[in-house]
Amino acid sequence: MSNLRFTTAGESHGPALVSVLEGMPAGVPLLAADVDTELARRQQGYGRGRRMQIETDRIEFLSGVRAGETLGSPISMLVRNSDWKNWQEIMDPAPRETDAAGLRKRHVTRVRPGHADLTGILKYDRDDARDILERASARETTCRVAASAICRVLLRELGVHIGSHLVHLGGVDATRPETLPADLNAASDASPLRTLDKDAEAQMITRIDAAKKEGNTLGGICEVVVTGLPVGLGSHVSWDRRIDGRLGQAMLSIPAVKGVEIGMGFETARRTGAEVHDEIEPALGRTRAGHVQRRSNRAGGTEGGMTTGEDLVIRVAMKPISTLMRPLGTVDVATGQSAQAVAERSDVTAVPAMGVIAEAMAAFVLADAVLDKFGGDSLAEVQRNLDAYLARLDERVR
């Protein structure tokens, strides 16, 4: 059983979203601003649609926090949907007299290729794909970012930091600097596409503008980098405890994500062992890595299902969004006839925001792994246990 667990509830155009995080130790310093900052980062990015202009996400703590600290009890948060006022008739939970006459306004029967629409209505035996798409929407990731923002605070208190940047969009690769900025997010968030390559950024913006005129969408790749992790999170002993497997599952749960790789990833299959594996050398003073260092980091910070103490490097690939303003061919499930898919309000691309969501999922998995390794009902206890572990690593080199 995981130490941490979060659940989410709410529809994209319902009255609000709810996020509940269980298992967070007591004594973690926490303000609403810690969460709101991450929600604002999720809403940024060139190529986003009008929904980002309508919603300014803010959380309301309902439980689990008092006087600026976590209590150890479940933390529940509410995020109100500003657009609810325009959707009350469509999303009203109560039955309406007009329901008997047929489907409600804005019903969806011309299902979109690439979305959950068709499979969802067949699985759940619904007539209106609105019943599926409202929950399948990436709007749900607001709740993930909210819950994981608290995990980020815990990790930060323990010396672990998470950032990301965009490395590919719409066929354009961004050059990755040899040395990443000390504050990765400060540098990447300054870009409208969250990329560190200004020349590539200009080309990407041109591609986005062209795709928008064509009614098309674009996908891309973000890289998540985690620094400060101690060696030994995760385990080799059982399949479901391997940290790389847990991270992969978390990343692939993000809507529209189709690929994940750690370190060199797929490229390792094309190289020899001498070109793949990281040589190890002594490095006194690098306590969190066990007083050694890898001469390279092709493994991306994991070996044998465990963290190595090197930077954790994860790349996450997002397909183009499935709602096109120039719709693709589909079937109208109400008639069984060929049709053009419905065109819901959407983005041209959401890859920059996906990077923030990928950071969030990494924060959750790593915070859970930290609590699995070090335990504790309070932040102070977790810190003591971590300190004792690091002290033991120091003893081993004497």
Side-chain angles (χ1 to χ4, degrees):
M1 181 177 179
S2 296
N3 296 279
L4 283 177
R5 178 172 183 264
F6 76 83
T7 55
T8 72
E11 280 74 44
S12 179
H13 294 100
L17 303 170
V18 176
S19 181
V20 181
L21 176 67
E22 298 179 68
M24 182 59 54
V28 177
L30 185 63
L31 301 174
D34 294 317
V35 181
D36 292 343
T37 296
E38 295 306 314
L39 295 183
R41 293 182 63 235
R42 176 195 163 277
Q43 291 189 287
Q44 68 181 342
Y46 192 84
R48 304 300 301 276
R50 285 191 62 249
R51 185 74 189 270
M52 297 306 104
Q53 300 168 18
I54 295 171
E55 303 289 355
T56 303
D57 292 334
R58 299 280 189 275
I59 63 106
E60 300 173 32
F61 286 125
L62 303 181
S63 67
V65 182
R66 181 170 181 260
E69 289 191 349
T70 59
L71 303 178
S73 55
I75 301 168
S76 56
M77 294 168 283
L78 183 75
V79 180
R80 299 186 187 278
N81 284 328
S82 299
D83 208 19
W84 165 243
K85 60 182 180 294
N86 299 315
W87 287 80
Q88 292 186 50
E89 181 180 354
I90 300 161
M91 296 298 297
D92 189 352
R96 288 174 170 256
E97 292 182 6
T98 54
D99 291 349
L103 296 168
R104 286 188 178 181
K105 292 180 181 178
R106 298 294 298 268
H107 66 270
V108 176
T109 58
R110 293 177 290 120
V111 293
R112 292 165 294 175
H115 208 283
D117 297 354
L118 178 57
T119 306
I121 62 173
L122 294 175
K123 174 180 173 63
Y124 290 97
D125 195 18
R126 310 306 295 165
D127 295 321
D128 182 355
R130 174 77 52 200
D131 294 346
I132 306 302
L133 67 89
E134 285 287 331
R135 179 61 182 172
S137 167
R139 178 76 181 143
E140 179 267 343
T141 61
T142 305
C143 295
R144 304 191 196 194
V145 172
S148 296
I150 304 170
C151 299
R152 292 175 75 113
V153 175
L154 172 66
L155 293 171
R156 186 178 67 218
E157 291 293 313
L158 301 175
V160 178
H161 301 276
I162 303 176
S164 70
H165 62 117
L166 184 147
V167 297
H168 180 92
L169 195 147
V172 179
D173 287 319
T175 300
R176 187 187 194 274
E178 282 191 25
T179 303
L180 291 174
D183 190 336
L184 178 54
N185 280 343
S188 60
D189 286 350
S191 161
L193 288 174
R194 305 197 66 254
T195 182
L196 302 177
D197 185 339
K198 287 294 183 184
D199 293 334
E201 176 188 281
Q203 296 177 54
M204 292 171 183
I205 288 174
T206 298
R207 294 282 178 94
I208 291 170
D209 291 343
K212 184 174 183 178
K213 289 181 180 178
E214 296 166 1
N216 214 338
T217 57
L218 299 173
I221 303 169
C222 285
E223 181 177 86
V224 177
V225 181
V226 187
T227 61
L229 289 169
V231 60
L233 299 183
S235 179
H236 67 287
V237 302
S238 295
W239 69 270
D240 57 345
R241 294 181 62 190
R242 299 179 70 93
I243 197 68
D244 39 9
R246 291 157 69 180
L247 287 164
Q249 191 278 334
M251 298 303 165
L252 286 168
S253 76
I254 300 170
V257 164
K258 285 294 187 180
V260 181
E261 60 181 12
I262 297 176
M264 286 179 67
F266 278 93
E267 186 61 25
T268 61
R270 300 184 174 93
R271 305 287 188 94
T272 66
E275 296 172 299
V276 168
H277 301 298
D278 303 306
E279 292 186 285
I280 306 169
E281 60 187 9
L284 290 177
R286 297 192 77 230
T287 300
R288 293 196 176 213
H291 297 284
V292 298
Q293 68 181 9
R294 273 73 176 170
R295 291 175 181 171
S296 53
N297 192 24
R298 298 163 185 155
T302 71
E303 287 177 346
M306 295 168 283
T307 57
T308 63
E310 303 293 342
D311 291 352
L312 178 65
V313 182
I314 312 165
R315 276 176 294 278
V316 186
M318 181 183 190
K319 70 177 182 178
I321 291 168
S322 53
T323 297
L324 279 64
M325 292 302 103
R326 184 176 292 176
L328 299 174
T330 189
V331 170
D332 188 330
V333 294
T335 66
Q337 302 299 310
S338 296
Q340 296 299 300
V342 69
E344 285 277 305
R345 178 177 58 199
S346 185
D347 306 325
V348 176
T349 187
V351 180
M354 182 273 288
V356 177
I357 299 163
E359 289 177 38
M361 297 309 296
F364 173 74
V365 171
L366 294 171
D368 186 45
V370 163
L371 294 176
D372 179 49
K373 172 66 177 167
F374 303 112
D377 294 313
S378 69
L379 173 60
E381 186 178 4
V382 177
Q383 184 69 69
R384 287 195 301 271
N385 294 342
L386 171 59
D387 290 344
Y389 176 70
L390 297 178
R392 174 57 183 153
L393 294 179
D394 282 337
E395 291 174 359
R396 291 177 62 90
V397 299
R398 292 175 186 171

